[in-house]
Amino acid sequence: MDFTSSSSSSLTFTDFLDRMRHPASVDLVRSIKSFIVSFSFHSANSENDSKRLQDFLLAMETTIKDHPLWAGASWEEIDNAIEGLEKYVMTKLFSRTFACSPEDAKSDQEISEKIFLLQHFVRPEHLDIPAVYQNESAWLIAEKELQKINAFKAPREKLLCILNCCRVINNLLLNVSISTNHVPAGADDFLPVLIYITIKANPPQLHSNLKFIQLFRQQSKVISEAAYYLTNLISVESFINGLDANSLSMDANEFQEKMQAARLAKAAQVAPRNISTPRDPQPVYCDKEIHMGGRHYPFMEAEAGKLTVEDVHKLLSVYKDVVNKYSVLCQAVRGLSLNKEKLPVALRGDLCDCILEHPRADCNPAEQDVVEVEGTKEKEKETVSAGLL
Amino acid sequence: MGCSSSLPDRNNGRLGVLSSENSGVADSKNLRVKLVLLGDSGVGKSCIVLRFVRGQFDPTSKVTVGASFLSQTIALQDSTTIKFEIWDTAGQERYAALAPLYYRGAAVAVVVYDITSPDSFNKAQYWVKELQKHGSPDIVMALVGNKADLQNNREVPVQDAVEYAEKNGMFFIETSAKTADNINELFEEIAKRLPRVSSS
Ligand SMILES: Nc1nc2c(ncn2[C@@H]2O[C@H](COP(=O)(O)OP(=O)(O)O)[C@@H](O)[C@H]2O)c(=O)[nH]1
Ligand SMILES: [Mg+2]
C-alpha cells in the first residue's frame, strides 16, 4: 500500500510556503489569516471547529483551482496546496483543537493507565496470536511508528504514523502467509496484532489523537485504505476501553488477579519504599521523596551515577506520570482566565507561574515547521494574537 | 492453506448506470463502494475476496499488501466503473461489539456463512439482525453460503437460506471460493442492486 500517494511525493510543505510568499497569493494569505483569526471569536468546540476547517479547506480548494498562480497546475500541485494549507492552519490552531476538553484529557489518561496495567501481563497468546506472527523486531518497529504520533501536529502526519504502523504489521503478516503458504491474513489476524502492539506501545494521548485526525484531516483523504486502518485503531481503542475478564483468552479470576497485581506493581513503582497507610495521613517529606497530594515522587535527591537499571524503570514511570499530570494541568489552566488571582488556590504557586509564563508549553518541540507567511517572523505573536489561548 | 485453484473467467459489463449515496462516490462515472464483510472466522471471507480481486483483470495489477483491506474495480458496459473497497472484519466473538465501527457508512454488507456449518449460518443471521438494527437503512445486503463445493458435507439446506433471505429482503447466493463458482456473479449482482443515480 502506498499511503503517501494521496499527497504528492516530490512537492513539499516548503513549496507550499514558497507559493504563499509569492506576491500573487496575497489574497489567499489574507483569507487564511482571517480564517485563523476568526477562531478567536468563538469558544473552542471540536465539532464546530471541525466543520469550519472542513468547509474552509473545500472552499480554498475551489479558490486555488481558479487562482492565477495555479493556472494549469497538475492535480498533484493543487493537492499539495491543500495539504500545505491543512498543515499550516492546524499547526496554528493546534493548542485550541488538540485534546482541548477536560473529557479528552481524561479519556487519554484512562486508556493510558489501563494499557499500563495490561502491559504487565498481556501476552500474544491471550489474544490468540499465532506463534508464527510473533516477531519481536517487526513488532518493535510497528510500536515505534505509533509512538511517534505526538511528534507531529498536522493531522496528515499523525495519520501517517498509524498507517505506517499498520503497514509494518501487514508486511509481517504477508511474509508469514507467503512462507507458510497460508491464506493471506485478513482482519482475523490483523486486528489482534494491532491490539497487542497498541498495548505494547501505549501511544501518547491515543484518544485525542484519534479524535483530532477524524475531525481535522481533510475528509476527502479519510477514505479507502486510510479510513480502514484508522477505523482499526479506533476499534482497538474501543476494545481496550471495554477490555474485561471476558475479552482475553484467560481465566476470569486470573485476569482479576493480574489486574490487581499490576495495580499494586504500579503503586510500588511510583512509591517503591513508601506505600502510604492510614496511619501516615500527612506525608510531606519522607525518606527524600516528595509527597504531593497523595502522590509520591521519589529520587528527588538521587544522584545519576548511583541509579540502577531498576531505578531507571521507576524513574521513567514517574516521569510519565508527571508529564501526564502536567498536560492535564496545562489543559485545565488554558481553559481558565489568565488572571492569576482568579485561579483556584490549588493552582497557584511555582507550577502555575511556569505555565503562565510559557503559554505554549503544551506544543510539541519536535514539530518545528516555522511557518512564515509573507516572509515575516510572526510565529508566537501571531498565534497569541489569533486568540489561541 | 491457500485458497487455490483455477482462475475464474470473468465477463464484465452488462450493467446499467449505478451509484450509491453513502459510500463516497468519486464521480458519477467512477463509483467507490464501501463493502464490509461479516461472518464467522473460517467461513471463507478472505478466500472469496482474494478470488474476486486476483482472479480478474490483468494478473499484473498489484494486489495491495494485506488482505484485510482490498479493492477491486470492475468496468461496466457503459464505461462506468465501480471500485469495491472491501473491508474485512475480525470474526472472533470477542470483537463482535466492534463491528458497527466497520459497517458504518458501508453501502454493501456481505454476510458469509459456510454451508457445512449450521453455527456459522446462525452467526450470519445474527449479523443480518445487527445490520438491520444499526446499519444504514439503504445498505445492500447479500447472504453468501460459501464452500458450495463441499456438497457432501452440506448441513445448511439451500431452501433455509433462500427463505431467510427472502424474508429479510436480501439477496442470496451460494459460492465456492475454491472453484471460483459464483464469485464474480456475487459482485455483479451487488453492483446491480446498488442504488441508481437519480438522473438530473
Ligand atoms: N472447500 C472449500 N474450502 C474453502 C472455501 N473457501 C475457503 N475455504 C477454506 O476455508 C478456510 C478458511 O478460509 P478463510 O478465507 O481464511 O476464512 P475467513 O476466516 O472467513 O476469512 C481456508 O482453509 C480455506 O482454504 C471454499 O469455497 N471451499
Ligand atoms: Mg479472513
Side-chain angles (χ1 to χ4, degrees):
Chain A
M1 45 194 151
D2 179 15
F3 292 125
T4 50
S5 64
S6 59
S7 61
S8 44
S9 43
S10 54
L11 294 167
T12 64
F13 190 52
T14 322
D15 293 324
F16 164 74
L17 293 179
D18 285 346
R19 289 234 181 181
M20 286 298 155
R21 288 195 193 98
H22 193 283
S25 56
V26 63
D27 53 332
L28 294 176
V29 170
R30 199 172 301 127
S31 339
I32 296 167
K33 284 193 161 182
S34 79
F35 173 69
I36 292 170
V37 169
S38 73
F39 276 78
S40 58
F41 306 138
H42 307 267
S43 55
N45 170 312
S46 21
E47 308 299 322
N48 291 348
D49 289 357
S50 163
K51 175 146 195 343
R52 285 155 52 80
L53 176 85
Q54 300 293 348
D55 290 349
F56 177 71
L57 291 177
L58 281 176
M60 287 299 279
E61 184 173 339
T62 313
T63 310
I64 285 173
K65 275 180 184 158
D66 295 337
H67 197 278
L69 209 53
W70 275 270
S74 64
W75 179 85
E76 279 76 18
E77 287 170 297
I78 306 277
D79 184 57
N80 186 59
I82 308 302
E83 292 289 6
L85 194 57
E86 178 192 293
K87 176 171 168 152
Y88 177 80
V89 171
M90 289 318 297
T91 304
K92 289 287 186 187
L93 296 174
F94 187 75
S95 42
R96 174 194 172 101
T97 49
F98 184 78
C100 57
S101 72
E103 295 82 52
D104 290 339
K106 186 159 169 274
S107 303
D108 286 335
Q109 187 165 358
E110 278 169 2
I111 192 161
S112 168
E113 282 173 3
K114 184 152 187 194
I115 290 178
F116 184 81
L117 298 179
L118 295 171
Q119 283 176 338
H120 278 82
F121 64 91
V122 172
R123 301 279 159 264
E125 306 81 77
H126 299 136
L127 291 159
D128 303 318
I129 297 172
V132 279
Y133 295 146
Q134 297 178 24
N135 178 326
E136 281 303 326
S137 56
W139 287 10
L140 200 63
I141 298 171
E143 287 162 44
K144 290 257 149 37
E145 292 295 337
L146 267 192
Q147 285 164 340
K148 275 190 216 159
I149 199 159
N150 268 8
F152 304 97
K153 286 182 185 169
R156 169 177 173 269
E157 287 154 17
K158 285 181 177 291
L159 180 56
L160 274 177
C161 294
I162 296 171
L163 301 182
N164 285 338
C165 166
C166 293
R167 178 167 49 196
V168 173
I169 298 173
N170 269 331
N171 283 340
L172 170 68
L173 299 185
L174 185 76
N175 286 337
V176 170
S177 89
I178 289 169
S179 64
T180 60
N181 201 24
H182 266 71
V183 179
D188 287 351
D189 303 83
F190 176 83
L191 184 63
V193 176
L194 184 64
I195 290 170
Y196 189 72
I197 283 185
T198 307
I199 290 176
K200 296 256 284 179
N202 202 352
Q205 296 177 285
L206 180 59
H207 172 78
S208 292
N209 274 302
L210 289 170
K211 185 173 168 186
F212 183 74
I213 294 167
Q214 288 174 274
L215 292 176
F216 298 109
R217 177 75 177 121
Q218 47 172 314
Q219 286 308 291
S220 63
K221 296 297 171 68
V222 190
I223 55 163
S224 304
E225 218 160 14
Y228 181 74
Y229 290 108
L230 179 62
T231 300
N232 270 278
L233 196 60
I234 291 167
S235 80
V236 169
E237 183 200 15
S238 166
F239 180 78
I240 293 175
N241 278 331
L243 197 153
D244 63 17
N246 304 316
S247 311
L248 299 174
S249 297
M250 182 186 247
D251 177 72
N253 290 328
E254 190 188 351
F255 175 83
Q256 302 298 1
E257 283 163 21
K258 294 263 160 98
M259 281 297 271
Q260 194 51 35
R263 282 187 201 104
L264 291 174
K266 186 184 179 207
Q269 273 192 352
V270 178
R273 283 163 296 172
N274 191 313
I275 295 170
S276 51
T277 63
R279 264 170 291 143
D280 185 16
Q282 294 162 305
V284 185
Y285 278 84
C286 167
D287 200 12
K288 308 268 156 92
E289 296 177 12
I290 295 181
H291 294 209
M292 254 172 63
R295 306 291 179 154
H296 309 278
Y297 299 100
F299 302 111
M300 288 304 286
E301 312 274 302
E303 288 168 38
K306 294 192 178 151
L307 293 179
T308 65
V309 174
E310 183 66 0
D311 289 336
V312 174
H313 281 296
K314 289 173 195 159
L315 262 176
L316 187 60
S317 106
V318 175
Y319 168 79
K320 286 179 182 168
D321 187 43
V322 171
V323 172
N324 271 336
K325 293 199 184 96
Y326 180 74
S327 323
V328 173
L329 187 57
C330 286
Q331 295 297 343
V333 169
R334 208 175 314 105
L336 297 167
S337 160
L338 285 185
N339 182 344
K340 220 195 297 182
E341 306 314 315
K342 288 192 187 152
L343 290 175
V345 178
L347 285 180
R348 292 185 196 155
D350 292 351
L351 184 55
C352 176
D353 288 339
C354 151
I355 294 164
L356 293 176
E357 277 159 30
H358 304 281
R360 301 189 69 214
D362 58 306
C363 297
N364 197 305
E367 173 81 340
Q368 297 205 324
D369 271 308
V370 177
V371 177
E372 296 171 31
V373 174
E374 295 177 345
T376 54
K377 298 206 170 140
E378 304 180 77
K379 296 158 281 186
E380 298 283 320
K381 268 191 223 126
E382 188 176 88
T383 308
V384 174
S385 72
L388 296 188
L389 267 165
Chain B
M1 248 185 306
C3 303
S4 73
S5 289
S6 54
L7 289 176
D9 57 339
R10 157 151 205 103
N11 28 37
N12 296 318
R14 293 189 258 120
L15 298 168
V17 181
L18 306 151
S19 178
S20 157
E21 288 299 316
N22 53 354
S23 56
V25 175
D27 59 59
S28 61
K29 279 279 177 191
N30 303 287
L31 312 174
R32 282 196 309 109
V33 173
K34 172 175 168 182
L35 181 155
V36 65
L37 289 169
L38 294 163
D40 252 351
S41 288
V43 297
K45 297 184 296 297
S46 296
C47 287
I48 291 172
V49 175
L50 288 165
R51 171 62 77 189
F52 172 58
V53 171
R54 288 188 180 164
Q56 71 176 46
F57 282 133
D58 65 331
T60 58
S61 78
K62 61 173 192 251
V63 170
T64 325
V65 175
S68 32
F69 176 93
L70 287 165
S71 65
Q72 176 66 293
T73 304
I74 63 174
L76 308 179
Q77 217 164 34
D78 61 357
S79 80
T80 309
T81 64
I82 297 186
K83 183 182 177 207
F84 284 107
E85 298 181 344
I86 303 168
W87 292 39
D88 194 12
T89 57
Q92 299 96 315
E93 196 58 46
R94 64 170 67 117
Y95 305 123
L98 306 175
L101 293 168
Y102 293 81
Y103 60 67
R104 187 178 57 192
V108 183
V110 174
V111 181
V112 186
Y113 67 92
D114 170 352
I115 66 154
T116 71
S117 156
D119 280 351
S120 74
F121 185 53
N122 287 335
K123 193 61 193 278
Q125 298 178 29
Y126 163 83
W127 285 123
V128 172
K129 285 195 201 87
E130 285 293 299
L131 287 163
Q132 286 167 343
K133 267 189 275 173
H134 308 296
S136 82
D138 53 355
I139 194 167
V140 173
M141 284 198 275
L143 180 66
V144 177
N146 189 42
K147 308 200 185 180
D149 56 292
L150 301 177
Q151 279 302 336
N152 294 337
N153 303 328
R154 173 189 292 277
E155 296 215 19
V156 181
V158 181
Q159 199 47 38
D160 289 9
V162 169
E163 278 167 20
Y164 182 80
E166 247 167 43
K167 228 171 47 204
N168 290 279
M170 54 198 302
F171 117 83
F172 166 69
I173 192 167
E174 286 197 350
T175 58
S176 167
K178 187 172 181 182
T179 64
D181 241 24
N182 273 350
I183 299 293
N184 293 329
E185 287 75 2
L186 165 64
F187 289 90
E188 283 168 6
E189 188 59 35
I190 289 168
K192 274 187 207 162
R193 283 162 186 261
L194 287 168
R196 280 156 187 275
V197 167
S198 46
S199 49
S200 47

